[in-house]
Amino acid sequence: MLRVLVVFAFAMVINMASTEEHDEEAEELKDLLVVSIQNIVSLNDLVTQLTNKIVQVMLSVAEHKTEIEVLKKSHSEAITELRNKIENVETEQSSTLTALADDVRAVTEHFTSTDAAIEEDKEDLSLISRYVALEPKIFGCDSIPL
């Protein structure tokens, strides 16, 4: 398309140059054509550079997208692992608390039975003390010889 435009413009300039009246106009048109062609070439270079930059950006975006997917997968696996660990800790904690409660219950029962045994021993000692205190009177003496 660019070549057709250049050939057409060049043909117009040659046709106009054939008459001497239009020499000055033809020269201006030649200059304009040269400047236009130079601008078109510059624009083509700029479009090429822009296209290359767009390609680089697209490649970079694709690369980053891949990295993001890998990170998402990695984080997802790490989160799943952490959730599993938390569940295990909660289960262990629950088991430990249950065992501790059982131990406290057992110690409390032991102390309760020990307290009851001490009370029985106190009653027995009280009976023995009364018996010892009454014994000399029973045997008719003032004191029991040791």
Side-chain angles (χ1 to χ4, degrees), residues 97-113:
L97 288 175
T98 301
L100 185 60
D102 291 344
D103 290 346
V104 167
R105 203 172 303 114
V107 168
T108 303
E109 288 173 4
H110 175 72
F111 280 125
T112 302
S113 66

Side-chain angles (χ1 to χ4, degrees), residues 68-118:
I68 288 170
E69 291 301 320
V70 168
L71 288 174
K72 278 183 182 179
K73 183 179 179 187
S74 172
H75 289 321
S76 176
E77 290 171 356
I79 288 171
T80 301
E81 185 178 332
L82 284 174
R83 284 184 178 149
N84 290 339
K85 285 181 180 180
I86 289 170
E87 287 176 12
N88 290 339
V89 167
E90 287 174 345
T91 302
E92 288 176 16
Q93 182 183 20
S94 177
S95 298
T96 302
L97 288 175
T98 301
L100 185 60
D102 291 344
D103 290 346
V104 167
R105 203 172 303 114
V107 168
T108 303
E109 288 173 4
H110 175 72
F111 280 125
T112 302
S113 66
T114 302
D115 286 346
I118 289 173

Side-chain angles (χ1 to χ4, degrees), residues 12-70:
M12 279 182 41
V13 169
I14 290 174
N15 192 19
M16 291 178 86
S18 62
T19 62
E20 290 188 21
E21 308 176 345
H22 300 290
D23 282 344
E24 190 175 306
E25 289 178 14
E27 192 62 36
E28 288 177 10
L29 285 175
K30 283 182 188 177
D31 292 341
L32 181 62
L33 179 62
V34 169
V35 169
S36 295
I37 291 172
Q38 288 172 345
N39 287 337
I40 289 172
V41 170
S42 293
L43 288 173
N44 279 340
D45 289 342
L46 290 174
V47 168
T48 301
Q49 290 174 6
L50 183 60
T51 302
N52 289 337
K53 287 188 180 196
I54 289 172
V55 168
Q56 289 174 349
V57 168
M58 290 174 64
L59 290 174
S60 178
V61 167
E63 183 179 313
H64 290 311
K65 186 176 179 182
T66 303
E67 290 174 5
I68 288 170
E69 291 301 320
V70 168

Side-chain angles (χ1 to χ4, degrees), residues 122-136 138:
K122 282 182 181 178
E123 288 175 13
D124 289 346
L125 282 174
S126 176
L127 287 174
I128 291 171
S129 293
R130 275 189 256 146
Y131 176 74
V132 168
L134 290 176
E135 189 174 305
I138 294 174

